[in-house]
């Protein structure tokens, strides 16, 4: 039983830190977001919008349970937890998954997500400050990803019109 608990704890830390990227000594959220970009690219290229949506959905729940376990041993929203950034970064591309993408698309999606993740525009700030559990950790990045996705969609649509 103790061995199972220890294994579950270790797996939770591996997943919550997105395979160790959350242990970056500087800007762990940014490093986690960068580490999410290959996943975004692969899901978009091979499965389109549904791949990104399904990936975000599955990783949200994996992140929720992993973060719930990690929070037993850490403070609220520790910097090592970056699976929430992975989910948010995926959601930043969900609205443009059916459009042609270039490296500029990925760069813009990354920058927009990081902007909204750092600034915590309402209601992200509510989830970040008021919901002190795994849902709060995950949902502020979901909101940031959706904001970034909407803005990215309009930027790309305007760019194709001009």
């Amino acid at each position: 039983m103790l061995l199972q608990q220890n294994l579950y704890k270790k797996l939770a830390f591996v997943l919550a830190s997105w395979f160790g990227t959350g242990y970056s000594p500087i800007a762990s959220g940014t490093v986690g977001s960068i580490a999410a970009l290959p996943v975004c690219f692969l899901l978009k290229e091979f499965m389109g919008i549904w791949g990104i949506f399904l990936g975000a959905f599955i990783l949200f729940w994996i992140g929720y349970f992993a973060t719930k376990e990690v929070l037993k041993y850490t403070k609220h929203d520790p910097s090592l937890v970056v699976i929430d950034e992975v989910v948010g970064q995926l959601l930043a591309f969900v609205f443009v998954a059916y459009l042609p993408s270039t490296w500029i698309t990925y760069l813009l999606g990354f920058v927009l997500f990081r902007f909204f993740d750092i600034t915590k525009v309402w209601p992200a700030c509510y989830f970040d400050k008021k919901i002190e559990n795994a849902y709060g950790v995950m949902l502020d990045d979901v909101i940031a990803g959706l904001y970034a996705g909407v803005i990215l969609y309009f930027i790309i649509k305007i760019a194709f019109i001009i």
Side-chain angles (χ1 to χ4, degrees):
M1 178 88 140
L2 185 59
L3 182 62
Q4 283 178 323
Q5 287 175 337
N6 196 26
L7 184 62
Y8 182 70
K9 177 183 173 184
K10 286 181 181 183
L11 181 61
F13 273 81
V14 167
L15 293 171
S17 70
W18 196 244
F19 305 98
T21 59
Y23 291 104
S24 172
I26 54 168
S28 60
T30 300
V31 174
S33 293
I34 290 169
L37 291 176
V39 175
C40 292
F41 175 79
L42 291 172
L43 288 172
K44 180 196 176 308
E45 293 303 312
F46 292 107
M47 298 174 67
I49 190 170
W50 292 110
I52 290 178
F53 184 75
L54 184 61
F57 181 80
I58 291 169
L59 287 175
F60 176 87
W61 289 108
I62 290 172
Y64 167 77
F65 288 110
T67 300
K68 185 176 176 183
E69 180 67 17
V70 168
L71 289 177
K72 293 177 184 177
Y73 308 99
T74 63
K75 63 181 174 66
H76 176 66
D77 205 357
S79 61
L80 72 92
V81 174
V82 295
I83 195 166
D84 54 333
E85 271 83 7
V86 175
V87 172
Q89 192 65 77
L90 283 172
L91 290 173
F93 296 103
V94 78
F95 300 112
V96 297
Y98 67 93
L99 297 171
S101 295
T102 66
W103 65 271
I104 295 171
T105 307
Y106 289 98
L107 179 62
L108 277 172
F110 168 76
V111 169
L112 286 166
F113 171 69
R114 291 308 300 147
F115 171 78
F116 285 110
D117 186 31
I118 291 166
T119 58
K120 307 268 188 245
V121 177
W122 189 89
C125 60
Y126 173 81
F127 291 109
D128 183 53
K129 298 294 182 205
K130 301 290 184 188
I131 311 297
E132 294 188 359
N133 58 29
Y135 282 118
V137 172
M138 297 299 296
L139 286 174
D140 73 303
D141 290 270
V142 166
I143 300 298
L146 292 173
Y147 279 150
V150 168
I151 301 298
L152 181 62
Y153 172 81
F154 284 112
I155 289 173
I156 289 174
K157 281 301 211 179
I158 289 169
F160 280 127
I161 291 171
I162 295 174

